[in-house]
Amino acid sequence: AQSVTQLGSHVSVSEGALVLLRCNYSSSVPPYLFWYVQYPNQGLQLLLKYTSAATLVKGINGFEAEFKKSETSFHLTKPSAHMSDAAEYFCAVSTGGQAGTALIFGKGTTLSVSS
Amino acid sequence: SAVISQKPSRDICQRGTSLTIQCQVDSQVTMMFWYRQQPGQSLTLIATANQGSEATYESGFVIDKFPISRPNLTFSTLTVSNMSPEDSSIYLCSVSTDTYGYTFGSGTRLTVV
């Protein structure tokens, strides 16, 4: 079975600072990994996904994540935080939709950005 | 990617009653997934629905409380039965149309009073 652990339920940064949201996964088979963002009272928006093509994945809004098999990690980063980045971020794992497996989500990390 | 129409978008229900949530997909999909997002929490998988067979429920979820229908490859329903205030959540359906992509419905915001 797959699982993800998001370290830190709440991360606070200043505007312009580096954003680092941590995600570690557990999977018995090569995983597919995803980061989603959810703004208050809105639905999920896909930021980026790792599908084994490249270990460094670039997403929307300047976010990127690096897949590190040796560390079983898929941390999300952004060089410079913007006030509009304040939201809830979810890491998720799957062994592939075609295999009939659902996305399994971590507990989420709330990102706060101060001016 | 697929487009999902989920209904209703929100409802306020009396405790002890049941609500059926519908998800219609614009293309045929093998698996549909149902999630619950409790207030301030992450998404928790309720069950996986395969057309033509009974849904597979995750630990902590039972068919009597959350019966699922999957009559064809484009439609599914989730019923929340004998509701209590603890069932107040957002319920979402999801499908995967390829190995790497998942699409989510817009969600049903349920309040039980």
Side-chain angles (χ1 to χ4, degrees), chain A residues 20-59:
Chain A
L20 171 60
L21 305 182
R22 300 178 186 273
C23 173
N24 287 89
Y25 70 90
S26 173
S27 179
S28 57
V29 298
Y32 300 114
L33 294 159
F34 304 74
W35 275 101
Y36 285 85
V37 62
Q38 187 176 41
Y39 298 98
N41 297 314
Q42 295 190 26
L44 290 172
Q45 181 178 9
L46 178 66
L47 278 176
L48 49 80
K49 58 187 175 184
Y50 167 74
T51 60
S52 76
T55 57
L56 182 62
V57 183
K58 294 187 183 299

Side-chain angles (χ1 to χ4, degrees), chain B residues 27-96:
Chain B
S27 58
Q28 295 185 340
V29 294
T30 304
M31 295 292 190
M32 294 184 74
F33 310 106
W34 286 97
Y35 291 87
R36 179 177 72 182
Q37 186 175 25
Q38 295 176 298
Q41 303 296 316
S42 182
L43 280 76
T44 301
L45 181 66
I46 297 172
T48 298
N50 191 2
Q51 191 269 334
S53 62
E54 282 197 5
T56 301
Y57 289 83
E58 298 297 305
S59 176
F61 298 96
V62 295
I63 188 171
D64 290 345
K65 175 67 175 178
F66 299 100
I68 289 172
S69 167
R70 185 78 203 276
N72 58 53
L73 291 173
T74 64
F75 187 78
S76 179
T77 66
L78 169 76
T79 299
V80 186
S81 303
N82 188 24
M83 289 184 286
S84 67
E86 291 71 34
D87 294 320
S88 297
S89 298
I90 298 173
Y91 293 85
L92 302 101
C93 61
S94 174
V95 300
S96 177

Side-chain angles (χ1 to χ4, degrees), chain A residues 36-87:
Chain A
Y36 285 85
V37 62
Q38 187 176 41
Y39 298 98
N41 297 314
Q42 295 190 26
L44 290 172
Q45 181 178 9
L46 178 66
L47 278 176
L48 49 80
K49 58 187 175 184
Y50 167 74
T51 60
S52 76
T55 57
L56 182 62
V57 183
K58 294 187 183 299
I60 62 172
N61 301 339
F63 284 94
E64 63 181 37
E66 185 172 8
F67 173 73
K68 292 187 177 181
K69 184 178 179 180
S70 61
E71 299 177 7
T72 62
S73 69
F74 190 58
H75 301 331
L76 182 70
T77 61
K78 181 174 181 178
S80 177
H82 192 272
M83 297 291 286
S84 61
D85 294 326

